[in-house]
Amino acid sequence: MYSLAIHLYAFVVALISPFHKKARLMRFGQWKTNSILREKIDRNAKYIWFHASSLGEFEQGRPMIEKIKAEHPEYKVLLTFFSPSGYEVRKNYKGADVICYLPFDTPFRVKKFLNLANPAIAVFIKYEFWGNYLRELRKRGIPVYIISAIFRPDQLFFQWFGKPYRKMLSYFDHLFVQDERSMKLLNEFGITNVTVTGDTRFDRVLDVRKQARELPFIERFLESKEGRKPIVMVAGSSWPQDEAIFIPYFHEHPEMKLIIAPHEIHREHLLAIEAMLKRPSVRLSEAHEDDLADKDCLIIDSFGLLSSIYRYGQIAYIGGGFGAGIHNTLEAAVYGMPVLFGPRYHKFKEAKDLIAVGGGFSITDDTSFRTKMDELLTDPTALETSGQAAGDFVKNSVGATDQILRQIHIHSL
């Protein structure tokens, strides 16, 4: 039944690929996987295989990949993605020796992939559960782990009909989970090869902070001719529902400067943002150094800068919370600033934990946003205390990567 469903999924992807860009990229990318493996896999080397569904999972696995490359040069790294949104962004990542799409999880494709890749160890990241791959890895005696995993009672594994899915979990040599709740849930169903190590994303964002670039154009934008240092809010990965809340507030507070890094930077979205703005603004791509200081809002219409831009803010707003779910809160929190986000955060442990320590705040509408912003702008102690709480939360949560590597014993493979 499971394999039949995967075959059906593959058929649908092939069917819609002429009309759907993501499906087309996935199908063409998977088609090239075998040739990439034949060409690039060194038959005399041992590979550690990391699999990430998409870009977010890759960022979780990245600290472990880079630590292995630094400390175990005797191993090479194979990195696979399932989604084009991960592969197309990171296909030239220098930390891996071979990068390709993961073929669909059907028995024939699985055996072909593993025959060509022949990994010494496999590491799946967070939510990746592919039954045929896991079964075949176990059959071949290849150790397989999952890292930064998180489990909830509403997942298929734990339903009355979930026994076949739960079988997948038994194929892991060890499961490294983010929290005690996940471990207890697994234990209730007889899965005891579990360790709570936390989330490797904390290690990643701390590394990003250490490597953050100085951005002279941001520094120029933040200069004030009046001599007063503005309060800077960085709105990261924003969507129209988010912008409809924070832009009107920004208009009413001349002491603020605003940096918007929209989640989507296509022409229509950028024009919509500019149509809403009543104070002087400029897109980064059109900015001139000599008049940047005269602008009140800077729109970042390129990718790759946001994690460094957060360092210049005093307050962060993270988008997505009025849609499918919030984006990365930790990239901002690591700089020691309060983080605001919309109401759809409950599937994100780090957001719930930020709220619990007083470093994160969920807003539900324009009124709740105004109330919290008024507090932060008028009470320096509240701003400092909440920012300190956010920063300390990240610093106190690092170390998952080292814990996992100590237990996997890579050197003994």
Side-chain angles (χ1 to χ4, degrees):
M1 288 287 292
Y2 171 81
S3 295
L4 181 62
I6 298 295
H7 275 294
L8 186 60
Y9 180 41
F11 174 74
V12 171
V13 169
L15 197 64
I16 67 172
S17 60
F19 320 102
H20 191 285
K21 181 180 179 182
K22 186 174 180 180
R24 188 163 58 252
L25 286 169
M26 179 184 290
R27 189 184 183 206
F28 182 65
Q30 289 190 14
W31 179 75
K32 293 197 300 181
T33 291
N34 289 345
S35 61
I36 290 173
L37 295 177
R38 288 191 189 97
E39 178 186 344
K40 295 189 176 182
I41 289 289
D42 181 353
R43 294 294 155 194
N44 298 314
K46 287 187 176 181
Y47 284 83
I48 299 177
W49 168 32
F50 285 86
H51 175 63
S53 174
S54 191
L55 191 59
E57 289 77 15
F58 162 74
E59 290 297 329
Q60 282 181 294
R62 187 169 176 172
M64 190 167 164
I65 293 172
E66 294 181 354
K67 203 166 188 70
I68 287 171
K69 290 293 287 183
E71 297 181 1
H72 297 279
E74 67 273 24
Y75 291 95
K76 292 191 175 185
V77 170
L78 165 64
L79 173 63
T80 61
F81 290 95
F82 186 72
S83 169
S85 58
Y87 177 81
E88 298 301 328
V89 175
R90 293 300 182 193
K91 59 187 176 184
N92 296 315
Y93 169 58
K94 301 301 183 184
D97 299 282
V98 183
I99 304 173
C100 59
Y101 277 91
L102 184 71
F104 287 115
D105 189 27
T106 59
F108 175 78
R109 292 183 176 99
V110 167
K111 290 177 183 178
K112 188 73 171 177
F113 175 86
L114 291 177
N115 286 342
L116 291 170
N118 192 30
I121 185 173
V123 180
F124 286 33
I125 303 168
K126 194 175 183 180
Y127 285 140
E128 287 301 273
F129 307 101
W130 296 109
N132 288 318
Y133 277 105
L134 293 171
R135 185 182 301 109
E136 189 66 20
L137 286 164
R138 170 57 65 89
K139 183 178 176 181
R140 296 181 184 216
I142 299 171
V144 56
Y145 304 91
I146 191 164
I147 65 170
S148 294
I150 193 161
F151 293 92
R152 302 183 305 275
D154 61 350
Q155 289 172 308
L156 284 173
F157 310 112
F158 312 113
Q159 306 307 307
W160 65 267
F161 54 84
K163 189 174 181 179
Y165 300 97
R166 208 155 49 241
K167 181 73 172 174
M168 296 182 191
L169 303 181
S170 70
Y171 296 131
F172 287 105
D173 287 74
H174 207 87
L175 298 93
F176 296 98
V177 299
Q178 292 188 28
D179 58 12
E180 293 282 344
R181 180 187 179 191
S182 294
M183 183 174 72
K184 289 178 181 177
L185 183 59
L186 290 167
N187 290 169
E188 287 175 16
F189 287 87
I191 301 163
T192 57
N193 52 331
V194 185
T195 303
V196 178
T197 52
D199 189 345
T200 50
R201 274 183 304 171
F202 289 96
D203 302 327
R204 174 60 186 154
V205 296
L206 195 61
D207 287 343
V208 169
R209 174 174 177 162
K210 291 174 182 176
Q211 299 166 14
R213 292 177 282 171
E214 292 185 2
L215 303 173
F217 62 88
I218 298 289
E219 295 169 5
R220 179 64 176 153
F221 166 70
L222 297 181
E223 291 178 4
S224 175
K225 291 184 176 180
E226 291 79 19
R228 292 184 303 171
K229 186 177 180 181
I231 293 178
V232 181
M233 186 174 87
V234 180
S237 301
S238 65
W239 292 81
Q241 302 97 313
D242 305 301
E243 293 142 12
I245 288 177
F246 64 72
I247 288 179
Y249 187 89
F250 161 69
H251 289 155
E252 300 166 10
H253 290 269
E255 72 275 24
M256 287 179 62
K257 281 203 170 189
L258 175 64
I259 300 174
I260 306 176
H263 183 70
E264 295 183 340
I265 56 173
H266 55 73
R267 180 175 178 273
E268 292 76 13
H269 191 189
L270 296 175
L271 289 173
I273 292 172
E274 290 169 331
M276 291 182 67
L277 288 165
K278 298 176 183 177
R279 294 171 61 184
S281 65
V282 65
R283 298 184 194 184
L284 176 60
S285 62
E286 300 173 352
H288 299 286
E289 187 175 344
D290 55 356
D291 65 352
L292 259 175
D294 296 327
K295 307 300 182 184
D296 296 329
C297 178
L298 180 62
I299 303 168
I300 309 300
D301 55 348
S302 61
F303 293 119
L305 295 173
L306 182 57
S307 59
S308 293
I309 288 173
Y310 279 127
R311 68 184 294 182
Y312 294 100
Q314 285 80 51
I315 301 170
Y317 181 98
I318 307 301
F322 289 91
I326 58 173
H327 295 287
N328 194 336
T329 55
L330 299 180
E331 279 188 336
V334 70
Y335 290 102
M337 70 178 86
V339 181
L340 282 66
F341 42 81
R344 295 184 181 173
Y345 67 89
H346 296 283
K347 290 185 178 181
F348 301 87
K349 179 182 182 296
E350 68 280 5
K352 292 190 286 187
D353 290 345
L354 273 170
I355 291 174
V357 301
F361 306 94
S362 174
I363 57 101
T364 56
D365 52 24
D366 179 78
T367 301
S368 59
F369 176 77
R370 287 174 175 273
T371 299
K372 179 50 63 177
M373 286 295 294
D374 286 346
E375 177 189 348
L376 295 174
L377 292 184
T378 59
D379 185 349
T381 301
L383 181 62
E384 181 180 357
T385 301
S386 57
Q388 183 74 40
D392 288 346
F393 166 68
V394 176
K395 291 175 188 175
N396 294 335
S397 301
V398 300
T401 301
D402 288 337
Q403 289 185 60
I404 294 168
L405 288 175
R406 281 197 296 270
Q407 289 197 236
I408 288 180
H409 302 303
I410 287 176
H411 61 277
S412 66
L413 292 175

